[in-house]
Amino acid sequence: MGEYYYFSGRPEEAAKEMEPYLTSQDTALRLSACLVYAYANLATDHIRLARHALTEMEKTFTDIHADEDAPPELKEMSAFVSTTAAVLLHLPIKNDRDRAFEPASLMLLPPGLRFFSCYVQAHYAYLQGEYGKSLGIVETALAFQPQLYPIPSIYLRLVAAMDYMALKNSEKAKEQLLLAWELARPDGLIEAFGEHHGLLGGLLEATLKKDYPEDFKRIISITYSFSGGWRKVHNPDTGHDVADNLTTTEFAIAMLAARGWTYQEISTHMGSTVNTVKAHMKSVMSKLGVEQKSDLKKYMLK
C-alpha cells in the first residue's frame, strides 16, 4: 500500500504507511520502506526525514556487507536500494556499489525489482550521455519481461523518452511517453511523470496538456513538490546549482535551449509560437542572471 500511495502521487500517505517498517527486523522490508519513505519525504519537503532514511539505507548496506554469513540475495538487495537512491538523486555511485549493475547481481533480485533495476541502469547511462546504451537496456528489459510489471515498465518507457529527446527525436519520445501513459492512467500511477518532468524537455506539455488537462495539472503539482525536495538534497550534496526559481514551462524551455535547440524547434515541439518561447527565455535569463544560452547548462539537469 505504501508503494501504491507513492506511485499514485500520494506521498503523505506513503510515508505514513511505510514509517512502521523503518525498524523492521526483516531487512529486505526495512530497505524497501526506507527507499519509499525517503522519496515520499522529499515530495513533502521533510528533508530531515528523507536524509534519515537515506542514512539508514547506507548503514544497512554497510552492516550486511560486513556480515560474511549474509545471504547473497540480501547483499544485492542492499546494493540495489543504495544505488537506486544515488542514481535518482543524480549523486555519484560509490565504488563498492558498481556491482549492482552486473548481470549476476541483477538475477538475485526478485523479478519486479530486477526490471526496476534495469530502469536505474538505463537512467544512469542517460546521465553519462550514453543514450544508445540506455535505449538498449530499456528495449532488452521490456522484451524479456515474463509478465507485465506496470511500474518498472512506466519508468523504463519514460527513460526511453528522455533518451529520444536528448537525441532530438521528439516523435519517438512522444511514442514512448504515451505508452507509459497508457499503463499509468487506469490506476492513477502518475508520480513518475512528475518526477521526470524536467528531464522530458517539454514532452508532457506537448503530449498530455491538451488532451488530459486535469491530469496534467496534477502532474505539474507533483513536479513542484518533488523537485523542490530533490534539489534540497541534490544541490548541496553535489555543488550543482539546479535552478529552483523557474516555472515548469520555463525550465522545460531552458533545458531544450541549453541542449542547443533553436527557438523554432522548441516552439514546434511544444506547440507554441516562437515569440512565446522568446518571452519565456527572456524571463529565464533574467531570473538566472545570465546573458548567453550557453550559460544555462550549469542551472539545468543533465
Side-chain angles (χ1 to χ4, degrees):
M1 287 307 300
E3 290 181 356
Y4 171 69
Y5 288 142
Y6 180 76
F7 291 116
S8 58
R10 297 153 67 182
E12 295 92 348
E13 293 167 87
K16 183 179 179 180
E17 194 75 24
M18 287 299 192
E19 190 170 17
Y21 301 103
L22 297 178
T23 55
S24 172
Q25 294 302 305
D26 183 324
T27 306
L29 181 56
R30 185 169 71 250
L31 284 166
S32 294
C34 282
L35 184 60
V36 176
Y37 188 79
Y39 276 83
N41 278 291
L42 288 181
T44 54
D45 202 32
H46 292 126
I47 307 307
R48 182 184 63 80
L49 295 177
R51 284 193 177 278
H52 170 70
L54 293 169
T55 300
E56 283 300 305
M57 280 188 263
E58 284 300 298
K59 180 178 181 300
T60 301
F61 176 91
T62 301
D63 290 347
I64 289 172
H65 286 261
D67 181 1
E68 294 182 357
D69 296 325
E73 293 84 359
L74 200 55
K75 289 186 176 182
E76 298 315 324
M77 173 73 168
S78 67
F80 158 75
V81 169
S82 178
T83 303
T84 297
V87 170
L88 302 190
L89 280 165
H90 296 192
L91 303 177
I93 298 178
K94 296 179 181 178
N95 289 336
D96 55 359
R97 311 302 198 271
D98 288 345
R99 65 200 196 99
F101 287 165
E102 294 175 1
S105 299
L106 192 66
M107 296 307 294
L108 289 171
L109 295 173
L113 291 186
R114 193 178 304 159
F115 289 101
F116 197 86
S117 180
C118 289
Y119 154 74
V120 176
Q121 292 185 43
H123 197 124
Y124 184 71
Y126 167 87
L127 293 175
Q128 306 308 305
E130 298 176 323
Y131 308 123
K133 178 179 178 180
S134 179
L135 283 169
I137 293 170
V138 171
E139 290 168 3
T140 302
L142 290 172
F144 283 93
Q145 282 190 100
Q147 65 185 65
L148 178 64
Y149 291 91
I151 289 170
S153 295
I154 291 166
Y155 277 76
L156 284 162
R157 296 286 185 191
L158 289 176
V159 80
M162 288 157 42
D163 291 323
Y164 281 122
M165 285 301 298
L167 295 168
K168 277 191 164 184
N169 190 336
S170 58
E171 289 307 309
K172 282 282 190 182
K174 288 177 182 178
E175 179 183 308
Q176 290 297 320
L177 187 134
L178 287 173
L179 287 169
W181 184 241
E182 287 176 13
L183 285 171
R185 192 163 179 255
D187 295 313
L189 302 173
I190 65 172
E191 174 68 28
F193 296 83
E195 289 179 12
H196 292 81
H197 176 278
L199 295 167
L200 290 167
L203 198 58
L204 292 169
E205 286 79 357
T207 309
L208 300 183
K209 185 176 182 179
K210 181 180 177 181
D211 294 334
Y212 303 96
E214 293 306 313
D215 290 319
F216 177 78
K217 287 179 185 177
R218 187 156 177 247
I219 289 169
I220 294 303
S221 177
I222 290 170
T223 299
Y224 278 120
S225 298
F226 180 81
S227 62
W230 186 93
R231 289 182 179 95
K232 287 179 182 177
V233 174
H234 170 83
N235 285 8
D237 285 15
T238 63
H240 182 197
D241 192 19
V242 176
D244 62 0
N245 60 342
L246 305 181
T247 68
T248 53
T249 300
E250 287 171 346
F251 196 92
I253 289 173
M255 278 283 291
L256 296 174
R259 290 174 173 175
W261 288 51
T262 66
Y263 289 145
Q264 182 61 61
E265 287 173 329
I266 296 171
S267 69
T268 299
H269 167 60
M270 299 190 71
S272 60
T273 67
V274 170
N275 285 338
T276 298
V277 173
K278 287 181 177 179
H280 281 302
M281 278 301 299
K282 183 178 179 180
S283 176
V284 168
M285 306 286 262
S286 174
K287 287 180 178 180
L288 297 180
V290 299
E291 297 181 357
Q292 304 293 329
K293 285 198 291 183
S294 58
D295 295 328
L296 292 172
K297 284 188 177 181
K298 65 179 180 178
Y299 298 106
M300 297 291 107
L301 299 167
K302 289 186 180 181

